Amino acid sequence: EAGVVQSPRYKIIEKKQPVAFWCNPISGHNTLYWYLQNLGQGPELLIRYENEEAVDDSQLPKDRFSAERLKGVDSTLKIQPAELGDSAVYLCASSLGGRGRVNNEQFFGPGTRLTVL
Amino acid sequence: DAKTTQPTSMDCAEGRAANLPCNHSTISGNEYVYWYRQIHSQGPQYIIHGLKNNETNEMASLIITEDRKSSTLILPHATLRDTAVYYCIVRVQNTDKLIFGTGTRLQVFP
């Protein structure tokens, strides 16, 4: 079974340019997450989707970040314009979701490493 | 969610047991202890979780103290491939939010 797929794996852009990351979750997983991971730190949640609905976007910097999950499957995370401080790894994860699930294990993709020059 | 405290780094000889401690003194009664690990250049990977009983699976064992204020993840026979950052997380059941700390960097040496 394929895991969570992310692309691109690496991206280098100049500041003020836009950038987009794509995520394809595990088939059948209703919940999708985007995390940001700075060097030497643990991942931090940016946004969580239940199907196509964003149910937790409280940590998403909405002035420059946006995300969408059309049709409740693939998702795209966009930054416009990118700043130097956005250099980090952007991780996507998915889980089966659903209330009452004892262990809603999250499966992570390999991430996209963004470098802003 | 309760905060966790872990040592920054640990070493372990290959073939020996790796015991990774975690303090979560403010854990609430309905919060579970989860462990994930992150191998270099990969996303985090689920290892194990527990509420109050000790748990074991094919990857590791989780020992939770009776007062639930601390726990230990045990890798019974560490291999070089177990070199990774190990995150201890407490999470309220039926919520999907994982709050990662900085974890413990485990180095397994030959």
Side-chain angles (χ1 to χ4, degrees):
Chain A
E1 179 184 343
V4 176
V5 179
Q6 291 189 247
S7 69
R9 288 296 313 275
Y10 304 92
K11 188 73 177 179
I12 301 174
I13 61 172
E14 294 187 347
K15 63 181 181 182
K16 301 185 181 180
Q17 295 300 305
V19 65
F21 316 122
W22 176 80
C23 173
N24 180 242
I26 293 173
S27 177
H29 280 195
N30 297 320
T31 307
L32 184 145
Y33 316 75
W34 283 102
Y35 287 86
L36 161 71
Q37 186 171 27
N38 288 307
L39 187 64
Q41 303 294 314
E44 302 170 42
L45 181 69
L46 289 173
I47 189 168
R48 174 169 66 92
Y49 282 92
E50 291 286 348
N51 298 302
E52 65 275 7
E53 181 184 359
V55 295
D56 183 357
D57 62 356
S58 57
Q59 301 303 311
L60 189 73
K62 299 181 183 62
D63 56 337
R64 296 182 301 107
F65 287 65
S66 65
E68 61 182 12
R69 192 185 184 198
L70 300 177
K71 301 181 181 178
V73 182
D74 296 2
S75 178
T76 303
L77 178 69
K78 298 178 181 178
I79 308 175
Q80 182 170 10
E83 298 179 351
L84 295 177
D86 296 331
S87 293
V89 175
Y90 292 83
L91 293 160
C92 178
S94 70
S95 66
L96 284 169
R99 287 193 167 192
R101 189 172 300 279
V102 174
N103 175 29
N104 199 21
E105 179 184 344
Q106 295 184 25
F107 294 82
F108 285 79
T112 297
R113 180 175 297 277
L114 174 67
T115 301
V116 182
L117 303 176
Chain B
D1 292 331
K3 187 175 179 179
T4 62
T5 303
Q6 300 177 251
T8 302
S9 63
M10 295 182 64
D11 291 338
C12 179
E14 188 177 21
R16 304 298 293 269
N19 298 296
L20 292 89
C22 179
N23 287 322
H24 31 79
S25 58
T26 60
I27 194 169
S28 301
N30 62 344
E31 289 184 318
Y32 281 65
V33 180
Y34 281 75
W35 284 83
Y36 278 71
R37 74 178 183 184
Q38 188 171 22
I39 295 170
H40 182 63
S41 295
Q42 297 183 22
Q45 174 193 23
Y46 167 82
I47 301 174
I48 199 168
H49 78 285
L51 182 61
K52 54 184 178 181
N53 297 322
N54 297 336
E55 302 288 344
T56 295
N57 63 21
E58 65 279 4
M59 290 183 68
S61 294
L62 175 60
I63 308 298
I64 302 174
T65 58
E66 192 169 343
D67 63 7
R68 304 206 328 118
K69 292 185 177 182
S70 66
S71 60
T72 301
L73 179 74
I74 300 173
L75 308 178
H77 306 286
T79 70
L80 299 179
R81 288 178 293 181
D82 292 323
T83 293
V85 177
Y86 288 76
Y87 296 100
C88 171
I89 303 161
V90 293
R91 187 178 107 173
V92 177
Q93 185 57 34
N94 292 335
T95 69
D96 284 339
K97 196 164 186 175
L98 295 178
I99 301 177
F100 290 81
T102 52
T104 296
R105 183 171 300 276
L106 175 68
Q107 179 69 53
V108 181
F109 56 91

